[in-house]
Amino acid sequence: MSRNIGKLPARYAAIVMPLLLSIFMSCIVAGIATLRSMGFAEGLLRMWMSTWGVSWLVAFPSLLVVLPVVRRIVAATVQSPPR
């Protein structure tokens, strides 16, 4: 039995990519920062999730603003592939 899961139209890539990137990156960074500050203490997971939520609220809008700038810098720095 196969499931046909529909894909979003390509026009949503500009939102989906920073959304997913902000989720994964803020989770990793918040986890490392929380672990470093607390160690393996009781309540680590709860504190990590709380920190992650705040981090993501900053990370996602930041990526929406910064990503176009980064793409322009990369385009100016990296040679275009041959056609």
Side-chain angles (χ1 to χ4, degrees):
M1 181 163 115
S2 67
R3 289 185 172 175
N4 289 333
I5 298 175
K7 291 185 177 184
L8 293 171
R11 69 180 179 268
Y12 292 108
I15 296 294
V16 173
M17 200 281 285
L19 174 69
L20 295 176
L21 182 60
S22 66
I23 288 169
F24 289 118
M25 289 300 298
S26 62
C27 178
I28 292 166
V29 172
I32 292 169
T34 306
L35 183 60
R36 285 203 49 157
S37 67
M38 290 184 64
F40 286 102
E42 186 175 331
L44 174 66
L45 184 61
R46 180 180 45 78
M47 182 59 74
W48 178 10
M49 293 298 106
S50 174
T51 304
W52 182 19
V54 172
S55 298
W56 181 79
L57 287 173
V58 172
F60 182 55
S62 297
L63 273 173
L64 291 175
V65 171
V66 171
L67 203 52
V69 175
V70 171
R71 285 188 177 125
R72 284 193 292 274
I73 293 169
V74 170
T77 308
V78 177
Q79 194 174 48
S80 298
R83 292 187 182 223

